[in-house]
Amino acid sequence: MLASIKGTVIEKSDFTAVVDCNGFGVELLLTRKAETMCRLNAPVTLYTHLQVSDAGLALYGFADDLERQMFRQMILIKGIGGKVAVALLQHLSPSEIVAAVEQNDAKLLTAVPGVGKRTAERICFELADRINTKGLKVLVQSMPSTGAHTDLAGASGVLDALESLGFDRFSALDAYKTVKSQHGDGEDLDENEAIMSC
């Protein structure tokens, strides 16, 4: 039901947009990537997921099917609702979530507003199996790199070191991504060099 939406963006605010679809204004809660696709008075096509709960209806908008699949796997975890799942995708890409889960990096997940330590640990534990059985890891690896997100494999030590220097986890991640993009994705980045560059 409501697998996608195509229309014109008539309103936009932080991670929210209203899309005019044949005269109906449909409000969507967006991931970061989906938000970048929404420009005021411009056409847009988004993948969607409709969630029905005691609080009412909520329609979530995604840039691609991978984001939607990641969202759907996360909301299957006890205690993870749509708002927490979309918040994770507003701060982290699917590849960053996969890397965090594989490295059991609960610290990165707890840096997302609304995600506590127990929730992050539960995400790491429950998503670990689903990433492989549901093919999410393969999908993440097959997606073309846009340069917007950095593969976090091997970055955990750098992030921990930057945190010990006073960076919060997201600032450490942003600094790491910046240095990594300056050196190019094809180059190996020494841990000490990464820390010194930040």
Side-chain angles (χ1 to χ4, degrees), residues 154-165 167 169 172-173 175-177 179 189-196 198:
S156 185
V158 174
L159 298 180
D160 289 341
L162 289 171
E163 271 192 296
S164 70
L165 293 172
F167 285 82
R169 199 67 167 180
L173 178 61
Y176 179 81
K177 286 191 219 180
V179 172
L189 189 60
D190 178 77
E191 184 173 318
N192 292 328
E193 181 185 358
I195 294 166
M196 294 302 293
C198 293

